């Protein structure tokens, strides 16, 4: 089957890892037409905007995108492109599978969890005001609608994939109303659609301690936006870093696939970034498109490559010497 996929190469290491991912996907024989679209700091020069309207229009029309990371200035400058994209496409559900991979040595060997992050509200409302000189407020928005739909996604996923337990991390002891509403919604959806799934709530500070002590006790994590952002990187650290954790952002009928990591300006343009996280996101995308065999082909190839652990085939973050392109070549060699 032929597919049209929107492609945002992004900033920093974005172009390097997206081009490597395109090559890997094409090497499976998948028939893909890529529509390259501008977004991020790089789009400003040519279009005067970080997220031009035609980027949004194309993704809405073709419904699937592969996205490289984009840079967001700290403390000043333009609004996050990711936040804008997720809001404008209503990509409310971020799914991030986090697993130990054979050959990637970490302190743990039994991590296998899936993060569900509410992707549209919370502290990412972007509503900040200086209400008086030296006094700033930042609004955390929680709605019943968004909380219930992310809860529904997480419990349905458990039922479809044979997952046994959902754990919510929260701070409802302090944010009684906002996190309180989130918890209230999750409890109701749990009772309504999935009472057979084990359900647990942990205050987030305790949850972080439990996570680094024994991550194997977790199965599916259900998190509001801000906690989901932070916990995703923490979880990446448990299994080998940001180079090995993929992600997908789902809306009602649009899906955008992107790695958890950012644009990594410290290593951009040097052919040393690990493209695996985006390649794994590409695998999620192929499955979404009904290309399960091709997805399995790539997954088997990277599992074999990692298990063999040849330094000349692994990127620097995984203890090897391969560049971004050499890693993609080594992967492609395994199935072509
Ligand atoms: P980052 O994820 O870009 O980098 C954190 C550390 O991990 C750096 O040392 C980097 O070199 C390393 N790293 C990240 N990805 C890697 C890869 N594929 N291979 C090897 N090493 C990798 O986070 P940072 O530095 O906090 O943010 C940089 C920029 O990225 C910021 O502008 C931020 O807003 C943006 N960002 C964008 C995201 C997106 O577009 N989805 C997500 C997270 C951050």
């Amino acid at each position: 089957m032929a597919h049209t996929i929107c492609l945002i190469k992004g900033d920093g290491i974005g172009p390097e890892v997206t081009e490597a991912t395109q090559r890997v996907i094409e090497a499976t024989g998948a028939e893909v037409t890529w529509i390259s679209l501008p977004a991020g700091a790089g789009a400003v020069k040519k279009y005067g905007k970080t997220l031009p309207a035609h980027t949004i229009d194309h993704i809405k029309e073709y419904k699937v995108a592969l996205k490289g990371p984009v840079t967001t200035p700290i403390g000043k400058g333009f609004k996050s492109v990711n936040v804008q994209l997720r809001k404008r496409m209503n990509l409310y559900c971020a799914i991030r599978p986090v697993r130990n991979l054979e050959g990637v040595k970490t302190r743990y060997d039994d991590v296998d969890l899936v993060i569900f992050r509410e992707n549209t509200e919370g502290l990412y409302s972007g509503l900040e005001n200086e209400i008086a000189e030296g006094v700033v407020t930042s609004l955390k928005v929680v709605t019943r609608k968004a909380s219930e739909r992310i809860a529904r996604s997480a419990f349905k996923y458990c039922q479809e994939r044979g997952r046994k337990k959902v754990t919510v991390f929260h701070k409802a002891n302090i944010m009684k109303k906002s996190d309180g509403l989130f918890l209230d919604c999750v409890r109701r959806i749990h009772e309504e659609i999935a009472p057979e799934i084990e359900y647990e709530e942990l205050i987030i500070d305790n949850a972080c301690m439990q996570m680094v002590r024994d991550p194997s006790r977790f199965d599916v994590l259900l998190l509001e936006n801000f906690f989901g952002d932070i916990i995703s990187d923490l979880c990446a650290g448990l299994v080998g870093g940001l180079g090995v954790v993929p992600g997908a952002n789902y809306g009602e009928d649009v899906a955008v696939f992107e790695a958890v990591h950012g644009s990594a300006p410290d290593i951009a343009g040097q052919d040393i970034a690990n493209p695996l996280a985006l390649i794994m996101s590409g695998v999620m995308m192929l499955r979404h498109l009904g290309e399960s065999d091709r997805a399995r082909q790539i997954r088997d190839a990277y599992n074999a490559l990692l298990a063999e652990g040849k330094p000349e085939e692994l990127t620097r973050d995984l203890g090897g010497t391969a560049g971004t392109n050499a890693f993609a070549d080594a992967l492609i060699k395994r199935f072509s």
Side-chain angles (χ1 to χ4, degrees):
M1 211 169 97
H3 305 284
T4 302
I5 298 171
C6 299
L7 182 77
I8 293 176
K9 292 193 178 178
D11 304 313
I13 61 169
E16 299 164 68
V17 295
T18 45
E19 281 159 26
T21 303
Q22 280 180 281
R23 285 207 293 123
V24 170
I25 290 174
E26 284 167 4
T28 65
E31 256 186 81
V32 177
T33 304
W34 303 97
I35 303 183
S36 196
L37 298 167
V44 179
K45 275 190 212 132
K46 195 160 172 199
Y47 299 93
K49 280 184 175 169
T50 52
L51 193 55
H54 75 279
T55 297
I56 300 278
D57 294 344
H58 277 83
I59 300 176
K60 280 188 177 159
E61 182 177 349
Y62 292 101
K63 310 217 179 303
V64 179
L66 181 71
K67 177 184 163 295
V70 291
T71 297
T72 307
I74 295 173
K76 58 181 174 30
F78 57 80
K79 280 188 182 173
S80 161
V81 171
N82 294 315
V83 172
Q84 290 181 63
L85 196 65
R86 291 165 193 167
K87 280 194 177 161
R88 289 177 64 182
M89 299 281 170
N90 205 8
L91 297 168
Y92 64 87
C93 177
I95 302 185
R96 295 163 167 187
V98 182
R99 291 191 191 93
N100 275 122
L101 295 155
E102 195 189 338
V104 179
K105 285 201 177 50
T106 71
R107 290 186 181 81
Y108 309 94
D109 54 17
D110 47 10
V111 181
D112 179 8
L113 57 87
V114 183
I115 296 170
F116 274 71
R117 167 183 174 188
E118 200 294 315
N119 228 4
T120 57
E121 51 183 38
L123 276 172
Y124 293 73
S125 67
L127 298 171
E128 292 192 311
N129 285 302
E130 183 166 12
I131 53 171
E133 165 59 25
V135 184
V136 171
T137 59
S138 185
L139 204 62
K140 174 162 172 162
V141 177
V142 178
T143 65
R144 187 171 293 286
K145 184 178 171 201
S147 305
E148 287 188 350
R149 70 185 174 186
I150 188 71
R152 217 171 256 119
S153 302
F155 286 114
K156 277 196 188 145
Y157 181 92
C158 289
Q159 290 168 329
E160 286 162 16
R161 306 287 182 99
R163 294 267 171 179
K164 302 276 184 284
K165 182 167 86 170
V166 170
T167 307
V168 174
F169 294 0
H170 67 89
K171 196 72 189 175
N173 50 332
I174 305 298
M175 290 174 274
K176 295 177 196 293
K177 283 196 187 294
S178 54
D179 280 17
L181 174 59
F182 188 76
L183 284 182
D184 187 52
C185 293
V186 180
R187 285 176 198 150
R188 254 169 28 87
I189 297 298
H190 173 235
E191 270 171 37
E192 191 184 303
I193 68 165
E196 78 286 4
I197 305 292
E198 195 184 332
Y199 173 60
E200 173 186 43
E201 295 169 358
L202 292 177
I203 296 176
I204 188 151
D205 30 354
N206 170 32
C208 288
M209 182 277 293
Q210 306 267 357
M211 181 64 79
V212 293
R213 197 168 68 170
D214 178 17
S216 70
R217 74 185 282 302
F218 295 106
D219 189 355
V220 168
L221 305 182
L222 175 50
L223 308 167
E224 63 84 71
N225 207 348
F226 185 50
F227 298 156
D229 191 1
I230 296 167
I231 296 296
S232 295
D233 278 38
L234 186 156
C235 287
L238 304 174
V239 296
L242 287 162
V244 297
V245 177
N249 303 297
Y250 293 102
E252 292 305 340
D253 61 353
V254 175
V256 176
F257 296 82
E258 66 176 335
V260 169
H261 65 70
S263 57
D266 54 332
I267 58 167
Q270 300 171 45
D271 189 39
I272 55 175
N274 185 352
L276 181 55
L278 193 64
I279 292 169
M280 293 164 105
S281 310
V283 167
M284 293 174 81
M285 181 178 75
L286 287 174
R287 287 185 60 177
H288 174 76
L289 293 169
E291 296 278 6
S292 301
D293 290 345
R294 292 195 165 96
R296 197 172 312 113
Q297 229 180 325
I298 301 175
R299 205 189 51 214
D300 290 350
Y302 70 67
N303 280 335
L305 183 149
L306 295 173
E308 284 170 32
K310 294 182 191 149
E312 68 277 15
E313 291 188 339
L314 298 172
T315 45
R316 233 174 43 160
D317 57 314
L318 298 176
T321 54
T324 310
N325 279 310
F327 179 92
D329 290 340
L331 204 58
I332 290 168
K333 218 169 54 195
R334 280 181 162 70
F335 58 76
S336 57

